[in-house]
Amino acid sequence: MRYRASVSEEFCLMTPLSLHKTSTSLDSVALLPCPALGSDGVRVTMESALTARDRVGVQDFVLLENFTSEAAFIENLRRRFRENLIYTYIGPVLVSVNPYRDLQIYSRQHMERYRGVSFYEVPPHLFAVADTVYRALRTERRDQAVMISGESGAGKTEATKRLLQFYAETCPAPERGGAVRDRLLQSNPVLEAFGNAKTLRNDNSSRFGKYMDVQFDFKGAPVGGHILSYLLEKSRVVHQNHGERNFHIFYQLLEGGEEETLRRLGLERNPQSYLYLVKGQCAKVSSINDKSDWKVVRKALMVINFTEDEVEDLLSIVASVLHLGNIHFAANEESNAQVTTENQLKYLTRLLGVDGSTLREALTHRKIIAKGEELLSPLNLEQAAYARDALAKAVYSRTFTWLVGKINRSLASKDTDSPSWRSTTVLGLLDIYGFEVFQHNSFEQFCINYCNEKLQQLFIELTLKSEQEEYEAEGIAWEPVQYFNNKIICDLVEEKFKGIISILDEECLRPGEATDLTFLEKLEDTVKHHPHFLTHKLADQRTRKSLGRGEFRLLHYAGEVTYSVTGFLDKNNDLLFRNLKETMCSSDNPIMSQCFDRSELSDKKRPETVATQFKMSLLQLVEILQSKEPAYIRCIKPNDAKQPGRFDEVLIRHQVKYLGLMENLRVRRAGFAYRRKYEAFLQRYKSLCPETWPTWAGRPQDGVAVLVRHLGYKPEEYKMGRTKIFIRFPKTLFATEDALEVRRQSLATKIQASWRGFHWRQKFLRVKRSAICIQSWWRGTLGRRKAAKRKWAAQTIRRLIRGFILRHAPRCPENAFFLDHVRTSFLLNLRRQLPRNVLDTSWPMPPPALREASELLRELCMKNMVWKYCRSISPEWKQQLHQKAVASEIFKGKKDNYPQSVPRLFISTRLGADEISPKVLQALGTEPIQYAVPVVKYDRKGYKPRSRQLLLTPSAVVIVEDAKVKQRIDYANLTGISVSSLSDSLFVLHVQREDNKQKGDVVLQSDHVIETLTKTALSADCANNININQGSITYAGGPGRDGIIDFTPGSELLITKAKNGHLAVVAPRLNSR
């Protein structure tokens, strides 16, 4: 058998560098991406499985110290499940706990990690089993089989898909492409659609058993396949328990089918419209996307070589089952059944390709052949409903059988005549239902549990056989193992004439009125003394309370199961009335004509019962499995709620029991718990003995003998085989591992010290060699650079001297370099010494050859600075400068107090809006006030000073007294303005008079005389009419009368009326003009 190594071989060689314990389960690390196969990293992962056993348990149950304790077994499962370690071994058997979530441990990287690696060299995984089976198939050239079992929802179907995925991804491609590989993968969604359904325990429960053979050529490439199906639960077609659904294909067709397809089939999208889909009251399931699944199924059908016509015929049959469920009957006057749903009948006749009247008659009558004569017996309502449901079940189950056959024809190897075909090997995958114990157990559970009894019997026999073969191969005495042989239960079920199946068949075939209760009575008479059989009649007073009168109890290997005999005979007979068969044999639907063969009508032999058919197929399956090398995967469901992270101990204990895991563990531990090849054992533990460390020169067997003597193994703790050492107790292994863990710490220190010294020494030598090399190269580079620089400097100096000598000569090759240097030096110097602003007049002295260019550059620079300055000033500042420029033009050098006004900014107005009377503003109307300033007006006669306001508008000068406009002087009538050259602030506005009624000139005084006159000149556009007088100013005082203002310099400002009647103004002299 391929599992020659025991559980110990999960621990492989480890280098002394991997010596530190880790707080993380390295089992779990193994489920994470890992860069290399068989690398030290993987081996470190495996080794820490023992040192971390207190937290994550052991990864092989054979290493449990208390292996007989079911509590210890479940606790080990719990620890691993808590760490997301869903796989554990029992020797070569893989135990898998459904995590109900994606753990990201099935990627291509994980496949490569487990590919080509020894079974126990990496952590437990489905891929480890898959790879070991595949390598055994190729190297030993023997057929293999993987048996997957467990209850519904434990993950059997998912495990099968992962195995197929592994082989599809890792096996070499066949010479003729990957069509077979694709069909193998795509057969799963098709079989799931037609054979899986939502149950209370599982949303994708397989309602049939499946055995798939995958055929490999001599190169290891998949070249063909074949599928066997067992016991399809066809009763689900017509009835589902509350919370369950019919087969997936019905819902997928209604949800995902195209509108045209549904119209042709006479279907509507609402599942509630069909009697066969509403009994479970669970048409929608959150975890199932029927629409997307439909697309997957349609694509898969194309891959499996279905033609469009075959797909249409298949869908017609699926639709016909739904229509058949909607056939209703009513009783006539004679209480005979009549079809009342004509529309459904029309769809059925078209979809099944049968005659409508013939089908109607077959559904309401039964054909009986008596003494060679055919008689039609009308059916009552109950019988008609039974006939309808029997037809629906027969149509669906036979279509499923045809579908499996179609897939097999697609998977069949096409090169059976080639020589290489004779060297092919087969790998079988058995996805079979697990032991079932429900509150109500019927005929289906009886068949399923019988199947599990047979497989358990085979499992124990093959396990013992493999153990015995290994012991004999190693020359170790085989000690017979005491175990429960369930052959007595298998005989109870299948024995000829005395078995339950034989009695059931006899009761179904005997003449007279046979019922389920007569069958139970016959059982009580025939097998009443069997220790594993019990009924209400045979039980004692205490046990009768738990047994109904229509029930019997079998004591299976996994425990007691009580079966209700109700429906046993009907389900075993599975009768389909003759006229219904005749109707279906006449079908024009190609698939139906293949499913219902006309030879059935001429065959007088009564067909075999369901139980007998199942028994024969099961015996055939056992023969197939016995001809192959088996591997086992036991799937466990952690809870009924399908919740991740929840561990239901009661449920798991129940599954551990009926999967026979404790029995299997006891058989594996009956001899030695640990075995390992001498080479691997010595390589791993040689550091614990001074004589074997660091190397052993002799035979590995001798080295192991020396090592175990040094370790103090007692004779009863181990045996020495031909190629392996066998250790009986796990505690012996654990003690050795703990000693190795301590030893590794000291070895690690020595190895690390040696390695660090060697490492840093090598690094120093490398750095030294590198430094010498770099220094040599750098010195050479510096020398070459220095020589090149000196050569360049000498040539440059020569060229400059030659150019300097010929600097006044016309440009020639001898002086071009010097002239260019001079020009370049000037331009670079000019760039550094450019003027900073328009007032900066500095400019470097240019060489003679660049004088003209220098002047042009100077002019451009000045223009550029002026342009930049103009661009930078604001409109307000521009206006200010304009006013200052006008003031300078008028008063510069002419009036003494002008220099004092230069640094002072002119403002837009000297009076606020609240200082000007609203009446004045009203009188001005829409004219805006451009400037306002307080002034003092001197009367024309007595020169008496009076406070006034001077306002400038766009058209006139306005003199205001409080809220009254005293005088308005239009700019057109303003003939001039006179002011003295002294520092006084008086000025005269000369007004043109057309008649004597008009007032004369106005004498005013303003503290801001330069600002006031500048703004007046700009507003009236009379800058050229401002007169700056020295000595006196004459003005028109009234009709025919002129006034004179005399200005004299003095120490302080004084304005008075002189004795001669003139206005005398004394003003201090601020500067000399």
Side-chain angles (χ1 to χ4, degrees), residues 687-699:
S687 61
L688 297 177
C689 176
E691 297 178 54
T692 57
W693 177 258
T695 57
W696 174 258
R699 294 191 312 159

Side-chain angles (χ1 to χ4, degrees), residues 200-379:
L200 293 175
R201 297 188 173 190
N202 185 5
D203 290 346
N204 188 32
S205 176
S206 298
R207 305 318 300 160
F208 69 104
K210 180 178 70 173
Y211 175 76
M212 173 185 285
D213 270 335
V214 182
Q215 196 173 26
F216 294 85
D217 63 13
F218 69 99
K219 295 181 180 179
V223 294
H226 189 270
I227 297 172
L228 295 176
S229 63
Y230 299 95
L231 197 65
L232 176 71
E233 188 191 16
K234 55 187 175 183
S235 61
R236 182 170 292 272
V237 175
V238 300
H239 176 76
Q240 308 91 43
N241 294 326
H242 183 75
E244 297 189 352
R245 297 206 313 176
N246 210 321
F247 293 102
H248 293 324
I249 186 62
F250 296 113
Y251 306 93
Q252 292 172 1
L253 174 59
L254 296 181
E255 184 70 24
E258 298 79 4
E259 292 293 340
E260 179 60 32
T261 301
L262 295 182
R263 191 179 304 110
R264 181 181 62 82
L265 299 176
L267 299 176
E268 53 184 88
R269 292 205 182 273
N270 185 11
Q272 304 297 327
S273 302
Y274 302 98
L275 182 66
Y276 285 164
L277 302 184
V278 299
K279 295 187 178 180
Q281 299 180 1
C282 186
K284 296 288 185 181
V285 182
S286 60
S287 63
I288 298 176
N289 188 333
D290 293 312
K291 192 171 185 178
S292 64
D293 290 346
W294 169 255
K295 295 179 182 178
V296 174
V297 171
R298 283 305 305 266
K299 180 181 177 183
L301 288 172
M302 295 299 103
V303 174
I304 304 172
N305 287 344
F306 269 76
T307 65
E308 286 295 334
D309 290 341
E310 286 176 328
V311 173
E312 286 191 12
D313 294 337
L314 184 61
L315 296 182
S316 296
I317 295 173
V318 173
S320 70
V321 173
L322 294 179
H323 287 302
L324 197 56
N326 283 3
I327 291 287
H328 296 296
F329 303 97
N332 59 14
E333 296 82 0
E334 299 174 355
S335 299
N336 296 329
Q338 290 183 337
V339 176
T340 60
T341 47
E342 294 296 331
N343 194 39
Q344 304 296 331
L345 194 63
K346 290 179 182 179
Y347 279 124
L348 277 173
T349 56
R350 180 170 60 83
L351 295 174
L352 294 177
V354 297
D355 181 69
S357 59
T358 305
L359 180 60
R360 181 198 307 276
E361 182 181 273
L363 287 171
T364 56
H365 293 77
R366 178 180 182 182
K367 182 177 287 189
I368 302 173
I369 300 178
K371 297 180 181 182
E373 295 184 8
E374 292 185 356
L375 301 176
L376 283 179
S377 173
L379 305 177

Side-chain angles (χ1 to χ4, degrees), residues 770-950:
S770 300
I772 294 173
C773 181
I774 293 171
Q775 288 170 355
S776 175
W777 172 84
W778 182 245
R779 290 192 188 99
T781 300
L782 286 179
R784 286 188 291 273
R785 288 181 181 176
K786 192 173 183 180
K789 192 173 182 179
R790 287 179 178 178
K791 181 179 178 180
W792 173 83
Q795 292 174 347
T796 302
I797 292 171
R798 289 193 193 101
R799 294 169 71 185
L800 285 173
I801 293 174
R802 194 180 296 116
F804 179 76
I805 295 171
L806 300 174
R807 66 186 180 279
H808 298 299
R811 185 180 180 87
C812 62
E814 286 74 12
N815 65 1
F817 179 78
F818 177 79
L819 295 178
D820 291 343
H821 172 72
V822 170
R823 291 173 179 176
T824 303
S825 298
F826 170 72
L827 293 176
L828 292 175
N829 183 47
L830 177 62
R831 186 181 68 176
R832 292 189 295 268
Q833 300 181 15
L834 282 174
R836 301 300 179 188
N837 53 61
V838 293
L839 302 179
D840 186 358
T841 59
S842 62
W843 191 262
M845 178 64 67
L850 291 178
R851 284 173 184 166
E852 183 179 355
S854 174
E855 289 301 321
L856 291 174
L857 289 174
R858 187 172 187 177
E859 183 180 351
L860 286 173
C861 180
M862 182 58 68
K863 288 181 179 179
N864 183 56
M865 288 189 295
V866 170
W867 178 78
K868 284 184 178 180
Y869 180 78
C870 293
R871 284 286 300 273
S872 64
I873 62 176
S874 63
E876 294 79 8
W877 186 247
K878 186 175 181 180
Q879 184 182 9
Q880 183 75 219
L881 291 177
H882 177 62
Q883 293 175 4
K884 287 289 186 180
V886 171
S888 173
E889 183 181 348
I890 296 173
F891 299 108
K892 185 177 180 180
K894 299 177 182 178
K895 188 166 177 63
D896 284 355
N897 58 351
Y898 167 73
Q900 282 72 35
S901 70
V902 172
R904 298 170 185 165
L905 295 178
F906 292 168
I907 61 176
S908 59
T909 183
R910 293 289 177 175
L911 292 175
D914 55 341
E915 296 180 83
I916 301 174
S917 173
K919 293 182 178 180
V920 174
L921 296 176
Q922 185 176 3
L924 293 177
T926 58
E927 279 191 292
I929 298 175
Q930 295 178 335
Y931 180 73
V933 63
V935 296
V936 176
K937 178 181 177 299
Y938 289 92
D939 292 340
R940 297 178 184 86
K941 295 181 180 180
Y943 299 114
K944 185 176 180 179
R946 300 179 187 278
S947 296
R948 297 286 188 271
Q949 291 178 344
L950 184 144

Side-chain angles (χ1 to χ4, degrees), residues 12 23 48 187 231 265 303 351 420 468 522 571 585 633-634 791 805 1067:
C12 58
S23 61
S48 76
S187 65
L231 197 65
L265 299 176
V303 174
L351 295 174
S420 62
Q468 186 172 358
K522 192 159 188 178
K571 292 177 181 178
C585 286
I633 299 174
R634 302 301 203 205
K791 181 179 178 180
I805 295 171

